[in-house]
Every structure is written in C-alpha cells, then in structure tokens.
Amino acid sequence: MAETERTGSITPRRHGASIGQPLTRRDGLLKVTGRARYAADHHPPGMLYAVLATSSIARGRVTFLDMAAAKAHPGVVEVMTPENRPPLAMDPDAKTHPFMFRLELLQTDEVRYAGQSIAVVIAETLEAATEGAALLAPRYQAEPPRVGLDDADCFVPPTLGIGTPSEVHHGDVEAGLAAAEHRIDATYETPAQYHNAMEPHAIVAVWDGDRLTVDTPSQGLAWAQERIAGLFGIPPENIHIRSPFLGGGFGSKGLISGPQALGILAARLVGRPVKLVLRREQMYGPVGHRAPTRQTLRLGTDRAGRLTAIHHHVRTATSTFDDFFEPSSQVSHTLYASPAIATTADAVRLDTGTPLFMRAPGEASGNLALESAIDEMAQAAGLDPLEFRLRNYAEVEPISGKPFSSKALRECYGQGAERFGWQGRPLAPRQMRDENGLLVGWGLGTATFPAIMFQGQARAVLKCDGTGLVEIGAQDMGQGAWTALAQIAADSLGLDIEQLEFHAGSSDLPDAGIAGGSAHTATAGMAIHGAGADVIARLTELAVGDERSPLFGAGNVGVLAQGGRLVRRDDERRSESYAEILARAGLAQIEGRGSGAADQDAQATYAMHAHGAVFAEVKVDPELGQIRATRLVGAFAAGTIINPRLVRSQYYGGMIWGVSFALHEQAVPDHRSGRILNANLAEYHVPVNADIPSVEAILVEESDPYVNALGIKGVGEIGITGTAGAVANAVWHATGVRVRRFPIAIESLISTAVT
C-alpha cells in the first residue's frame, strides 16, 4: 500500500492482508437467515399503511375521486389529495442543482404520465388501504398520449446526462467518410427498460415534532437527507435515514423519488408513523427508467481496415416536465482510434415518467449500437471482428488525445479469446451447427466504463484493546460493499478483519457520497483509506516521540502498521502493539478522519476507464428462430481488485443483464392509453437460470497509479457493456441476419428466413 504522510518528518508505512482476498460477504449470514432488516421490515408502534392511487391515463386531468366511498371503508383513516396535502417548503418542480429532478407530490390534478400518484389512502391495514384506493374510482379528462420516438417534435437537448455536450466534433467526419474505402450507415433501436430490483421502493416515516426518522432504501444517504430537508423545511441534521440493506438499486434509489416523499407527507398529515411500499406495477413510472433510443452510426474505413470516421447520432426521449437525456453517444468518444469523430443528438418529450440513471446509463445502450456497427464494419472490410478491433485500438483517448491512466484492453482481448477458443471461428456466418442441428454463432463486444469518483468522508478509531472501528454512511445494495470496504478498512488500520467493527448504512455517519457510477468502492474506499492513514499517523506520533517506546526516534526511517502493531521499517524486532501505545499515553482510543475525492490534476491529464472484452456463443433453432445464449466469457481490467469473489459476482450480474438487453428486456407501451402493458415480472422478461447456462469472468491484472492511491476502478456497470453487443453479433454469426432492433425477437429472424 502507498505511504501515508501526516507530518514532514513522520511517514508511517502500512500494509495488510485483506485487500485482494476472496472473502465471503460479512452480511451473507444475516440475509440467508432472514435477519437482515430492509426498509419495509420496520413496524413502529401505531404505524399506518399508505397505498398509492395511480393514474390510468398518461395525459390529462383528474376530474373526480369518490372520496366519500374511500373514507367510509372500514379501516381507512385519511385520503391525501391535492386538496389536503400538507404544505411543502419547496416547490417539487423546482431544480437547484443538476442532480435534482422534479417530483409528483400531488401539486395539482394534472396527470403527466400513466402510473402517476393521484392520491394516497392511509389506513389501519394494508388491505383496507388497498381497497380504499380502489374505491376512489377516478374519472379523467384525457388527452392523446405521446409515447413513441416519433410521437412528438424533436429538438436538440442542451446537454446529455449530467453536463455532457449534445454535440461533439473532432476532425472532419464528412471528409473521412468520403475518402473511405468501406462505409456503413446503420440505425439501431433500443426500447425503454424499467427498474425491477427485487426490493421495490419503500419508506417507513416517523415524525417527532420537527424531527424525522425514515427507513428507506437509498444509494445516497446525504443526498436523500438534503432533498427531504429542502422539501420539508427542516435542518438536514433533524432527519435520520436508516438504509443498511438495499435489495438492489441500479440507479433507481440514487435520488429520493415521489412515492418516498409522499410517504413522509402522509405521516405528517395523520400524525402517526406510516409505511408506504410500491407494488411491482407502480415501479413503472415514478422511479426512473432507461429511455428508448434510435441510434444511427456512420462509419468508414480505409483499404487496410482502419477507421477514417465515426458519426454516432442518438435520438432519445425525456418526460414532458423534466430533462434527462440518455448520453448514449459518449461511448464513441473513447473506444476506437479514428481521425474524425462526431456525436450528435436530438430528443422528444413523451408522456412518461422522467428517465433517469439505470445501470450504465448511456454506455449500455450506446455500446450495443456501437459494437454492432463495429462488427458490421469488420464484415464490410473482410476482417475478423477481433482483428478489426485490434487494428483500430486506441492508444490514447480518441476524442481528447489524453493518455489512458492505464489500459489493459489488449490483454483482455487476448485472454478472453484464448479462453473462449475464438481462433477457430469461421469468418462467414451460418458455418457452425451443433449435434442437434442448431445454428451456432460466436460474437465479440468491447466493454468500457469510466473510472469515476465522487466525494466521501469516513471516521476511523483505534481502541485501547487493540481493535478498530470504521464508520461511514455507505450503502450496500447487494454488491458486497460492506465486505470490500471492511477489507480496505482493515488494511488501512493494519488489523485483521476479525478485529474490525464496521458501521455503515445510516445518515448520522460520515457522508460516503453516492453508490452510483461504479464509483462507490473508490470513493468510500479512499475515504476509509485516508481515515486509517490519519489514525496510524497520530498513533505513530505518540510512539516515536515517547522515550519509553521501542519505536522512539523512528520518525526518519518510518514504521509499518501490521497485525495490530507498529514495527520499525528497518528493524522488525523493534515493535509495539497499538494497545501498549494507547495505554502508556492514557488514551481510551484515538480517532482519525479521511476523505475520498477525485484528483483533479490527474483527471485533467489522463483518460480514466475500465476496459473489457466479452465473447458470446449463441444457438438458434433454424426452424423456430428461438435464441439461446449458451456461453459467455468476459475478460475485464479494472485496476486493483479488492475482493475477487465479489468482483466476479458483479461481472456475472452485468453480463446477465447484457443478455437481457440483447434478447429479453423491453417495456411495451399502449399507444392508446400510454400505459405500460407488461408492468409485471411475468411479462417484463428478464433472464432466469435456464437462460444463462455458462458465464465466466476473467480478472485481468492491471495497475493504475493515477486513478486513485489504491488504484481502484469500478466494476458494477462495465459487465453490461460489451455483452449485449457480443450476443447480438453472435446472433448474426449464427444466422446471417443482422437485427438492429432490440431485444432481438423470434419474428425478426423468421421474417428474414433463418432457414
């Protein structure tokens, strides 16, 4: 581990044994035995149940609610509507910073999308609240909904995502295309996808005067605290949010949603604790989704198969009342060397909930289109898809010219191809069949995701008994953060992990930033690393300045912190335990603080990304057109690996989602009502075990001295990039049919005569 310096003369050195170990999850036993308490598991005394009444139209106004029938139902305590909703200190439609989005909190009778909350029924039992909501029997003044990419006028958005320019130009694309020996011009469409984490959004809210306690799943406790404070006009420190466990988040729980705020409003209205949990179909609207896209890629190559130009245009959609534009084209800025690159975008406003962050926002949809186009370009140039990618390997970031802080993508290609057996792949499609006569295809996709860091803080303590405590308001949404961060904490303090107490998941702990953008381990981990360094530096000061210590005068040579002891770097026989140092100083404990944030100078100098290569095998029934993904091999390079067991799990999850993206997942809107027709887990298809028979992830060694002191890059989202394109390319290789509308449907293959 790197040196940590607190004073000019004292440089304690530390190393440990936890980082890099495939430890099992510290919270695993709690989860498999049912002792892990999620938000909806809390039942404070006197608690009522709240149920949302939601709109069945996508555009118009509510003209009638049968309040008398709902209130007369046994057990119903109150019905909250725009007429009696408690006042808010802040307009829910106000936006004061880029990560603030508009909420539907019963402002008016206007309906902006199907599934919008139009009332909240509060009752003594869940059944009574549910029945009361049904009895409201709303009537509407409806207008024709706009739900498709061609249903509204398009415009050029001011930015994509959070601050990405909607148009970027590097070099002369038109000249590059005109001079090209080979060209393609292809359009790809991806559907809307909706969040379906195992745990739906939920909140249990308890008011005590102007103090509020909430149990709710949150990927960013401090952000949630700030948002609630603004809406309700109370100091953030008056709000205690508990979120130790999340049953999945994937971006949907990064920001406070409308239903969560309505649960707090309901508790204020009735003066009692209230629980509100979304039903599965209520997830399709108010908590964000991945927007549909239509992406056109124009590529050109010279005679040698080297790219002369890339133009990536995206049409996407946002809601009628807010702005979030899927940044799908930005992936073309970073992957392939080309003297000319242009990315452009336009958008339409639809009568849907606002699309927001969903696992690999922009990269997932953009990478699928780009990797499909790269495969088509390789075919046009007569080259193997891997050879084509290697010929166009970017040694520096193409759009900026910055060197990469590290890039082991060549090694990913090489190790993945060897493990998969790519060398035996025939160039032409429809050349392979299995023993049952099924068409077999092999495809490749390049994976990439930026190495991001937010800002976070942590507190570390060494106690007089030689044990440690680390506190941080971090989140674990199933990825194993409690385990990986504890490993960093143990090494930062020079302790065995069994000697460490780790506290997280509460807003009264130091702000860990947000668990999003594949940045959580780097951000929270660096804060913990800094806090541990601060503690060890303070402890070292006590020892080397004390004539009674065997470490006295060791400031110039430095010390190591390991196994609960400080050890002279030049003489391991001279050491002292933490407990001995603290006892002699008369201290019960010693505390340190740390922060994690991106190095702005390094970011200005280097392009920082994780990379990977995914190889996919599919089998296609030539008569039925049925597709099965039968084998996936992914090779990924993401800097320092804190816990290989957890990292492989993250890669598996991302790769499985990539299969889902290519073959299964889509929301189907009803163009008459604007409702999502398949707003349930029976018809909103995602892969099950039978769909994913073989997945393998290779961890490619990579050291990055610039991305942060620990060399950590994110792993949570990169797996979905590359995989969807690999599966789509494998389908083409099996059938000879290039499907450009996703997910790839049986009818798309049958209609073009697979047989």
Side-chain angles (χ1 to χ4, degrees):
M1 297 178 70
E3 289 189 4
T4 56
E5 185 171 344
R6 187 166 179 271
T7 70
S9 60
I10 299 172
T11 308
R13 297 291 298 267
R14 300 174 291 111
H15 68 272
S18 288
I19 289 178
Q21 297 303 308
L23 304 184
T24 56
R25 297 171 188 262
R26 289 165 66 90
D27 55 337
L29 185 60
L30 293 175
K31 290 180 176 177
V32 299
T33 58
R35 289 182 289 148
R37 298 189 73 194
Y38 292 81
D41 293 330
H42 292 269
H43 300 84
M47 188 189 77
L48 300 174
Y49 294 82
V51 167
L52 299 179
T54 58
S55 167
S56 60
I57 67 165
R59 183 183 179 195
R61 295 188 175 277
V62 179
T63 59
F64 173 78
L65 293 171
D66 195 340
M67 298 287 289
K71 286 187 173 184
H73 188 73
V76 170
V77 174
E78 185 58 273
V79 179
M80 186 169 68
T81 71
E83 300 299 321
N84 66 339
R85 187 209 70 186
L88 292 167
M90 181 180 185
D91 183 353
D93 282 328
K95 299 180 69 167
T96 59
H97 61 75
F99 283 95
M100 183 176 287
F101 293 91
R102 297 185 171 107
L103 304 176
E104 304 80 52
L105 300 183
L106 305 178
Q107 293 97 306
T108 67
D109 60 5
E110 181 185 4
V111 174
R112 306 197 281 204
Y113 60 88
Q116 176 187 316
S117 302
I118 57 175
V120 181
V121 178
I122 309 154
E124 297 287 352
T125 65
L126 176 61
E127 292 79 5
T130 302
E131 292 159 4
L135 288 169
L136 285 171
R139 294 199 289 265
Y140 306 96
Q141 179 184 331
E143 298 180 50
R146 298 155 293 187
V147 295
L149 287 174
D150 297 311
D151 288 357
D153 294 335
C154 67
F155 61 96
V156 176
T159 60
L160 305 177
I162 302 295
T164 300
S166 57
E167 294 195 8
V168 175
H169 298 271
H170 171 74
D172 191 334
V173 165
E174 297 305 326
L177 290 171
E181 181 77 13
H182 306 285
R183 289 178 293 274
I184 68 160
D185 186 334
T187 298
Y188 308 88
E189 293 197 15
T190 64
Q193 297 177 352
Y194 280 78
H195 286 287
N196 272 293
M198 289 180 68
E199 176 200 31
H201 289 59
I203 190 164
V204 178
V206 182
W207 284 96
D208 182 7
D210 66 347
R211 305 190 72 85
L212 174 66
T213 300
V214 296
D215 294 282
T216 194
S218 172
Q219 294 176 231
L221 293 170
W223 285 15
Q225 197 177 37
E226 179 186 357
R227 183 64 160 132
I228 294 169
L231 287 170
F232 290 90
I234 57 178
E237 57 269 21
N238 283 17
I239 302 166
H240 184 201
I241 303 174
R242 296 179 298 208
S243 187
F245 302 106
L246 281 73
F250 312 109
S252 73
K253 295 168 183 171
L255 304 168
I256 284 292
S257 67
Q260 289 165 299
L262 286 171
I264 300 172
L265 278 165
R268 172 164 275 186
L269 178 65
V270 298
R272 289 171 61 180
V274 165
K275 177 194 290 189
L276 189 155
V277 181
L278 292 189
R279 295 195 303 270
R280 179 59 55 184
E281 71 271 15
Q282 293 173 340
M283 297 282 290
Y284 291 74
V287 299
H289 64 279
R290 196 191 307 279
T293 71
R294 180 180 296 146
Q295 303 177 57
T296 300
L297 280 115
R298 298 188 297 150
L299 276 63
T301 67
D302 62 18
R303 186 169 299 177
R306 291 183 174 85
L307 288 164
T308 59
I310 300 173
H311 179 208
H312 191 163
H313 178 78
V314 178
R315 172 169 290 186
T316 187
T318 190
S319 67
T320 59
F321 58 93
D322 211 344
D323 294 336
F324 181 84
F325 304 99
E326 186 82 356
S328 303
S329 59
Q330 65 186 9
V331 69
S332 290
H333 297 169
T334 65
L335 266 186
Y336 297 107
S338 174
I341 299 173
T343 57
T344 55
D346 59 32
V348 297
R349 293 194 180 278
L350 303 180
D351 297 306
T352 66
T354 303
L356 286 173
F357 310 99
M358 189 169 183
R359 199 173 199 181
E363 280 83 8
S365 52
N367 184 277
L368 172 53
L370 176 63
E371 288 304 296
S372 297
I374 287 292
D375 232 56
E376 294 200 49
M377 195 73 257
Q379 179 195 4
L383 293 172
D384 175 83
L386 177 55
E387 172 60 26
F388 183 79
R389 286 165 172 83
L390 289 170
R391 289 194 189 189
N392 292 282
Y393 192 89
E395 300 293 350
V396 298
E397 187 177 53
I399 202 73
S400 69
K402 294 179 183 179
F404 291 99
S405 59
S406 62
K407 185 179 182 183
L409 179 56
R410 286 189 192 276
E411 291 78 5
C412 294
Y413 285 140
Q415 293 184 34
E418 182 178 4
R419 181 68 176 172
F420 186 82
W422 183 263
Q423 188 174 3
R425 178 187 185 274
L427 187 63
R430 298 180 61 85
Q431 300 301 303
M432 299 191 295
R433 290 182 184 250
D434 72 359
E435 64 278 7
N436 297 313
L438 299 179
L439 296 166
V440 178
W442 290 357
L444 166 63
T446 306
T448 186
F449 198 79
I452 301 170
M453 280 187 68
F454 298 112
Q455 293 186 345
Q457 289 82 41
R459 173 178 178 259
V461 175
L462 281 176
K463 300 179 181 180
C464 61
D465 62 359
T467 63
L469 166 68
V470 169
E471 296 182 322
I472 185 166
Q475 297 79 33
D476 192 325
M477 50 185 162
Q479 79 275 43
W482 279 29
T483 307
L485 296 179
Q487 290 178 255
I488 295 172
D491 279 8
S492 76
L493 292 172
L495 293 171
D496 293 333
I497 199 165
E498 292 79 11
Q499 297 173 287
L500 178 75
E501 190 176 352
F502 183 76
H503 292 172
S506 180
S507 64
D508 56 358
L509 302 176
D511 174 16
I514 191 165
S518 296
H520 193 43
T521 304
T523 304
M526 283 305 302
I528 290 168
H529 175 75
D534 191 30
V535 169
I536 296 300
R538 293 175 187 273
L539 190 71
T540 303
E541 284 183 343
L542 291 177
V544 302
D546 188 339
E547 295 181 354
R548 297 168 293 176
S549 171
L551 300 172
F552 176 67
N556 290 331
V557 298
V559 299
L560 297 170
Q562 58 185 23
R565 304 182 69 85
L566 294 184
V567 182
R568 277 185 69 112
R569 223 173 66 188
D570 62 342
D571 185 357
E572 292 189 1
R573 296 170 299 175
R574 300 177 64 180
S575 69
E576 192 170 25
S577 72
Y578 301 164
E580 291 170 324
I581 298 169
L582 290 173
R584 195 171 51 249
L587 296 175
Q589 63 181 42
I590 189 167
E591 177 182 326
R593 299 272 177 166
S595 61
D599 183 328
Q600 299 299 323
D601 291 337
Q603 285 195 326
T605 304
Y606 297 100
M608 299 177 178
H609 301 269
H611 294 94
V614 181
F615 297 81
E617 177 184 86
V618 303
K619 295 185 178 181
V620 181
D621 188 309
E623 296 178 351
L624 301 178
Q626 186 179 50
I627 307 165
R628 291 288 305 280
T630 50
R631 190 160 57 99
L632 295 174
V633 174
F636 303 94
T640 300
I641 300 303
I642 303 301
N643 185 317
R645 182 193 299 264
L646 300 178
V647 166
R648 282 194 175 90
S649 177
Q650 286 292 284
Y651 288 151
Y652 294 158
M655 293 164 74
I656 291 167
W657 199 327
V659 173
S660 183
F661 205 127
L663 301 180
H664 297 270
E665 189 171 354
Q666 65 175 326
V668 181
D670 182 342
H671 287 261
R672 298 164 300 176
S673 67
R675 294 194 298 270
I676 302 299
L677 294 173
N678 58 332
N680 55 72
L681 289 183
E683 297 170 291
Y684 185 91
H685 293 162
V686 296
V688 297
N689 284 349
D691 297 309
I692 311 292
S694 175
V695 182
E696 183 176 355
I698 300 169
L699 277 53
V700 176
E701 186 174 348
E702 181 180 68
S703 176
D704 194 319
Y706 305 109
V707 69
N708 51 63
L710 291 176
I712 298 170
K713 297 179 181 180
V715 301
E717 294 167 276
I718 189 173
I720 189 174
T721 74
T723 304
V727 172
N729 294 332
V731 171
W732 170 81
H733 188 242
T735 64
V737 177
R738 177 63 68 176
V739 180
R740 301 191 182 100
R741 184 168 186 164
F742 300 97
I744 299 173
I746 289 175
E747 56 266 29
S748 298
L749 297 180
I750 291 177
S751 65
T752 47
V754 173
T755 57

